[in-house]
Amino acid sequence: MQPVPFIDLKAQYKALKEDIDARIHKVLDHGAYINGPEIAEFEQKLAAHTGSKFALSCANGTDALLLPLMALGIGPGDEIITTAFSFIATAEIIVLAGATPVYVDIEPDTFNIDASKIEAAITPKTKAIIPVSLYGQMADMDAINAIAKKHNLIVLEDAAQSYGARYKDVKSGNASLVAGTSFFPAKPLGCYGDGGAIFSNDEKLIKALKEIREHGSESRYYHTRLGMNARLDTIQCAILLSKLGRYDWEVEQRNRVANRYNDAFSSIKAQDFKTPKVRSDRQSVWAQYTLTIGNRDAFQKKLTEAGVPTSIHYPRIMPDQPWYKEHASKSVGSLENARWAADHVISIPMYPDMDEATQDRVIAAVKNALA
Ligand SMILES: *Cc1c(COP(=O)(O)O)cnc(C)c1O
């Protein structure tokens, strides 16, 4: 039997093929490969979908987080508080901007930054907080925004994994001053290459971001600030326009798959075995369905043998990564929950088009591995 796909992007393409192909060909025909008319249409739709006043497309999720730091003038001498447990881009953009990441621990059940540990990390140098909406679930944004307000700090949501997620009645991207998301193919809303977007309600900030995205130019060949080339390709934008059309349905399907996993695994008793927890005031978009387990290596091996691929997001906390350990490892408080997570998390297949027969194979493999 063929292994189960970890994410089945081909099934999704098959469902949308006619529309995606037509949109790509339209771009090939009109020839505006950069800044084509699809870009403005997509940005308007993104803004409407998140409830954010403005959305700006860009080249990838890393740029979507770096550009706001550049626009806000964050740089050498500044500190930014963030979670210890994320994809490396979260720490990378802080260092690229010239600032210093300061890591704090996570909540053991949601794997998101523990808001109650942020204030202890604030110094006169602190300029911003970057919460990450990990695995598709937002952090405690009310608590984080309240701390930021009290200490006059910027909040930048790393929404790379959470496009479409909800915290109370606010969508991811619209729950802080500014946010950045990623359209990397494996993200919940992905294109067929690299892509990203930035969200804000602040018109002045958006104007600066637009200029930075285009080599810091206020008008053609007139460069009033340091910028870069951070635009989204029109062809990728055409693909995203097609996918956005059925995205709300996809989020429902991801929740259906997650609920079915939760039910199937509820009676499993194994050392450190836990199913993912979503707070009652949030809706996750399930970028990953991530379990914890005691003997992870043995569990992973058994699933691989049963044709069920897994992935570890992430096997090492950011300050323990070799380069960061040497150059950017400042933390406040213990990082024990983050280190525990790095040693115990394991993600299993999750995608909106997963049918029940395929999911049953994954469920059986998990149960057998722990029997
Ligand atoms: C994927 C990801 C990024 C970076 O996005 P790219 O589009 O790959 O540059 C940043 N932060 C987190 C948490 C991510 O998962």
Side-chain angles (χ1 to χ4, degrees):
M1 238 202 282
Q2 288 269 61
V4 172
F6 187 70
I7 299 176
D8 195 350
L9 291 173
K10 279 188 263 175
Q12 189 196 40
Y13 174 55
K14 227 170 122 186
L16 293 169
K17 183 173 171 25
E18 226 173 284
D19 187 53
I20 289 178
D21 290 2
R23 286 178 190 268
I24 289 174
H25 278 276
K26 202 171 151 195
V27 177
L28 294 177
D29 285 335
H30 72 47
Y33 307 129
I34 298 287
N35 286 340
E38 284 82 358
I39 299 285
E41 182 190 348
F42 181 55
E43 289 177 345
Q44 275 158 19
K45 285 192 169 152
L46 279 183
H49 190 251
T50 55
S52 191
K53 231 166 151 180
F54 305 102
L56 267 194
S57 62
C58 65
N60 55 64
T62 307
D63 287 353
L65 298 166
L66 177 59
L67 264 60
L69 298 186
M70 293 172 74
L72 292 160
I74 289 173
D78 298 336
E79 291 182 350
I80 300 185
I81 296 169
T82 192
T83 168
F85 190 58
S86 179
F87 178 59
I88 200 65
T90 311
E92 188 178 53
I93 51 111
I94 298 171
V95 180
L96 283 173
T100 302
V102 178
Y103 311 94
V104 302
D105 208 3
I106 56 169
E107 300 172 336
D109 55 349
T110 65
F111 307 110
N112 276 328
I113 191 166
D114 185 340
S116 72
K117 306 218 167 113
I118 290 175
E119 270 193 299
I122 294 173
T123 73
K125 292 179 175 174
T126 309
K127 288 283 153 53
I129 306 168
I130 303 184
V132 179
S133 304
L134 203 70
Y135 305 150
Q137 175 176 207
M138 293 167 74
D140 191 352
M141 296 306 285
D142 279 357
I144 292 165
N145 283 322
I147 295 164
K149 195 168 170 205
K150 185 171 151 197
H151 297 273
N152 199 22
L153 306 175
I154 286 153
V155 179
L156 164 62
E157 181 196 359
D158 180 341
Q161 302 184 7
S162 61
Y163 184 79
R166 199 168 39 72
Y167 173 91
K168 298 181 181 173
D169 47 14
V170 184
K171 288 271 198 70
S172 179
N174 194 26
S176 55
L177 173 71
V178 58
T181 195
S182 165
F183 303 128
F184 179 78
K187 302 288 159 108
L189 179 61
C191 50
Y192 294 158
D194 280 308
I198 306 166
F199 303 91
S200 182
N201 291 317
D202 186 323
E203 194 163 7
K204 238 180 91 191
L205 177 58
I206 286 288
K207 184 175 176 284
L209 288 164
K210 242 184 209 167
E211 292 171 3
I212 294 169
R213 182 177 69 173
E214 196 84 37
H215 299 291
S217 47
E218 200 181 277
S219 55
R220 196 158 206 201
Y221 303 134
Y222 188 66
H223 307 277
T224 50
R225 50 170 92 236
L226 180 66
M228 53 199 275
N229 172 2
R231 296 168 305 230
L232 177 68
D233 291 347
T234 312
I235 286 183
Q236 297 302 339
C237 187
I239 294 159
L240 287 162
L241 270 169
S242 179
K243 289 205 187 186
L244 189 59
R246 71 163 209 172
Y247 188 68
D248 287 341
W249 173 84
E250 287 195 357
V251 172
E252 277 172 36
Q253 295 308 305
R254 286 177 180 275
N255 275 280
R256 173 186 62 80
V257 173
N259 290 334
R260 208 158 166 270
Y261 274 146
N262 288 342
D263 288 345
F265 300 149
S266 63
S267 57
I268 292 179
K269 299 260 176 297
Q271 193 209 334
D272 290 324
F273 180 83
K274 276 182 232 130
T275 52
K277 297 286 170 299
V278 176
R279 295 262 191 272
S280 59
D281 57 3
R282 282 158 237 190
Q283 189 188 41
S284 177
V285 291
W286 299 101
Q288 306 296 342
Y289 184 90
T290 305
L291 301 163
T292 64
I293 185 69
N295 191 346
R296 185 172 65 188
D297 288 349
F299 180 67
Q300 186 168 37
K301 191 161 168 272
K302 282 181 190 161
L303 289 184
T304 307
E305 284 164 6
V308 173
T310 55
S311 195
I312 313 287
H313 308 101
Y314 297 92
R316 202 182 278 265
I317 65 170
M318 296 189 295
D320 289 350
Q321 291 288 351
W323 190 88
Y324 292 80
K325 210 169 174 163
E326 203 172 319
H327 303 285
S329 66
K330 182 179 175 184
S331 62
V332 174
S334 131
L335 301 178
E336 61 183 341
N337 292 336
R339 286 202 174 88
W340 189 92
D343 288 339
H344 293 84
V345 292
I346 182 162
S347 308
I348 61 174
M350 159 60 73
Y351 51 90
D353 298 272
M354 190 187 284
D355 59 52
E356 295 199 348
T358 306
Q359 191 177 15
D360 287 342
R361 267 184 74 192
V362 179
I363 291 168
V366 168
K367 286 185 170 168
N368 285 338
L370 299 173

